[in-house]
Amino acid sequence: MSLIALGVTGGIGAYKAVEVCRGLQIHGHDVVAVMTRSAARFVGPLTFEAITRRAVITSQWKFGMNADIEHVAIADAIALLLVAPCTANVIGKFAHGIADDFLTSLYLATRAPVLLAPSMNSNMLVHDAVQRNLHTLAARGVRCVEPGDGYLACGWIGKGRLAEPAEIVAAAVAMLAPVDSALSGRRVVVTAGPTYEDIDPVRYLGNRSSGRMGFAIAAEAQRRGARVTLVAGPTGLEPPAAEEIVRVRSAAEMHTAVMRAAARADVVIMAAAVADYTPADPASRKVAKTDGPMTLTLRRTPDILADLARLPSRLSSGVPILVGFAAETDDAEARGREKRARKGIDLIVVNDVSRSDAGFEVATNAVTLIDAEGECAVPLQSKERVAAAILDRVEWFVRARTAPPVRA
Ligand code: PMT
């Protein structure tokens, strides 16, 4: 049995949180309800008090609340923070670290996993501000139960309705289930984001990678109990929690960081969009413009995956297991197959980046996993779910190859 903090915020779906609370209890969990001021306008705290048999937290400023700094005490005690319904307002506060009431302070104070069930008008849901906030939270490892389609309280029909209580309960229960993963205790290196290749002190060659795909893999590997080293190129997104985070800028820096981490790794997953070329002779001072064209001579960057494939441990025992990505716009699968063979890696994740809803920057992806055993299409879904599909396959490799026990 785990203690779950059930955050209830001010949306019309607040009444459904009562059913969520009951569902969690039926699964054997203990619930403490934390209501925002607006939530208490939709449903009475007494209802939650009667069901949870615990005092309902509605304010940070009640007498007795600060005797043992309640939000910190609860933050330590809970196994999960679930917010259902979660309004656009609270999503925004979580994303930006605003702690102006008990629930938002609890979010910052807890190290427990966080699950949100957003609920709002469909135009609000697709608004750039809300989407960006959701992306920020997803990159931090916060999970969401997708809102449903249908009639909304405001009279509109569209996406934004609070997911069904049973779905929310199932997602919460799954997050609390002990993870029986082949990755548990394994050292996993994940790369994410772009690399920047400097032309001079103010200009560089870069690419559109946001780091989102690699961050989702790192977060999922961490959830499965892996000891994750995340090697991240320059990106504006906040990385998820990991045992070690190494920030790099260029392909050469990424090469150094990955080769160092790979010496002890069981698995290396290269989701980063590493530059293939870098300026041969970067200028130490800003290059002045002229009226004529500019010629830039580029040289190849070190091929990190190919170097990993030549590691002695890899040649002798097949460890680390190597996963590469192939970002392609034409003949994606055929090129992916060829790339896997040429780089001498176990699994390649083929990413058709000609689609607007997959690949660079967006929150969703659709890929094909190719290895020596065959191919498997992973249809369009959130990058978090794609990450889970990739790691399911990686686990198969870890089991099949019976990788040696984790080295200290
Ligand atoms: O970051 P996001 O916005 O979420 O976007 C995700 C993504 C599109 C960046 C990701 O899904 C993806 O496809 N990553 C690989 C992009 C890429 O560089 O593909 P490639 O086909 O050029 O490289 C093939 C593989 O070799 C990659 O695993 C790459 O990390 C690796 N590589 C490339 C160059 C190099 N010098 N060394 C390498 O190891």
Side-chain angles (χ1 to χ4, degrees):
M1 182 177 82
S2 304
L3 177 63
I4 299 172
L6 173 61
V8 186
T9 72
I12 187 70
Y15 74 95
K16 288 194 192 170
V18 177
E19 220 180 305
V20 171
C21 185
R22 290 292 299 136
L24 295 171
Q25 289 174 320
I26 288 165
H27 279 86
H29 299 298
D30 196 7
V31 181
V32 53
V34 180
M35 300 180 74
T36 62
R37 219 152 48 131
S38 327
R41 290 170 179 256
F42 287 91
V43 57
L46 200 59
T47 311
F48 287 100
E49 193 168 305
I51 290 178
T52 62
R53 299 184 186 189
R54 280 175 172 271
V56 174
I57 302 170
T58 50
S59 164
Q60 188 132 7
W61 307 115
K62 274 199 180 156
F63 285 114
M65 236 28 216
N66 295 292
D68 58 355
I69 321 281
E70 189 80 355
H71 66 268
V72 176
I74 290 189
D76 276 347
I78 57 174
L80 176 72
L81 170 59
L82 164 64
V83 187
C86 193
T87 56
N89 181 44
V90 169
I91 289 168
K93 285 183 184 174
F94 282 4
H96 293 278
I98 296 168
D100 63 354
D101 65 3
F102 192 95
L103 180 61
T104 47
S105 305
L106 179 61
Y107 167 72
L108 289 186
T110 192
R111 286 285 163 267
V114 180
L115 176 65
L116 309 181
S119 165
M120 65 198 77
N121 163 276
S122 30
N123 271 4
M124 290 170 75
L125 183 64
V126 296
H127 195 286
D128 192 43
V130 174
Q131 286 300 314
R132 276 171 191 260
N133 289 337
L134 285 170
H135 291 155
T136 302
L137 292 172
R140 248 177 238 161
V142 171
R143 300 188 149 224
C144 272
V145 187
E146 285 278 304
D149 273 302
Y151 279 100
L152 304 176
C154 54
W156 291 36
I157 299 175
K159 189 169 177 177
R161 204 169 67 167
L162 182 67
E164 289 307 316
E167 203 186 329
I168 298 170
V169 171
V173 169
M175 278 178 81
L176 287 168
V179 182
D180 174 24
S181 166
L183 289 175
S184 180
R186 302 285 175 185
R187 288 187 186 271
V188 176
V189 179
V190 181
T191 68
T195 63
Y196 286 176
E197 309 302 320
D198 289 333
I199 296 170
D200 66 18
V202 297
R203 305 180 183 95
Y204 60 83
L205 299 174
N207 63 67
R208 288 172 46 205
S209 172
S210 63
R212 201 161 268 148
M213 189 67 244
F215 286 178
I217 295 171
E220 180 62 20
Q222 187 86 5
R223 199 185 73 79
R224 293 180 188 211
R227 304 178 64 180
V228 176
T229 296
L230 175 59
V231 180
T235 142
L237 289 184
E238 204 181 309
E243 185 167 298
E244 188 186 12
I245 297 178
V246 186
R247 287 287 196 177
V248 298
R249 180 173 173 84
S250 62
E253 285 178 16
M254 187 168 278
H255 181 267
T256 305
V258 172
M259 297 311 285
R260 187 177 296 142
R264 298 195 303 168
D266 297 288
V267 180
V268 180
I269 304 174
M270 292 285 305
V274 186
D276 291 317
Y277 293 92
T278 189
D281 192 15
S284 58
R285 317 281 306 166
K286 184 181 173 194
V287 178
K289 70 170 178 288
T290 64
D291 288 340
M294 179 187 178
T295 303
L296 201 56
T297 305
L298 303 176
R299 62 174 166 77
R300 281 297 306 267
T301 53
D303 189 326
I304 305 171
L305 271 176
D307 284 353
L308 288 168
R310 288 191 280 265
L311 282 174
S313 66
R314 168 82 191 167
L315 295 171
S316 60
S317 63
V319 176
I321 290 155
L322 297 181
V323 181
F325 273 66
E328 305 291 348
T329 52
D330 304 287
D331 300 328
E333 275 84 20
R335 285 175 192 240
R337 256 175 246 122
E338 183 276 323
K339 221 170 241 184
R340 189 185 82 82
R342 178 162 43 85
K343 296 203 181 219
I345 60 178
D346 299 295
L347 172 66
I348 196 141
V349 181
V350 180
N351 213 168
D352 179 352
V353 292
S354 63
R355 294 174 60 150
S356 60
D357 53 3
F360 292 102
E361 295 166 322
V362 290
T364 48
N365 213 354
V367 300
T368 304
L369 307 183
I370 299 181
D371 58 37
E373 303 291 318
E375 306 186 6
C376 169
V378 180
L380 187 73
Q381 53 201 304
S382 72
K383 281 184 175 167
E384 286 70 33
R385 292 206 181 139
V386 172
I390 294 168
L391 290 181
D392 286 349
R393 191 61 189 157
V394 169
E395 287 203 20
W396 180 86
F397 275 101
V398 173
R399 289 202 175 91
R401 201 162 289 170
T402 55
V406 178
R407 290 144 277 180

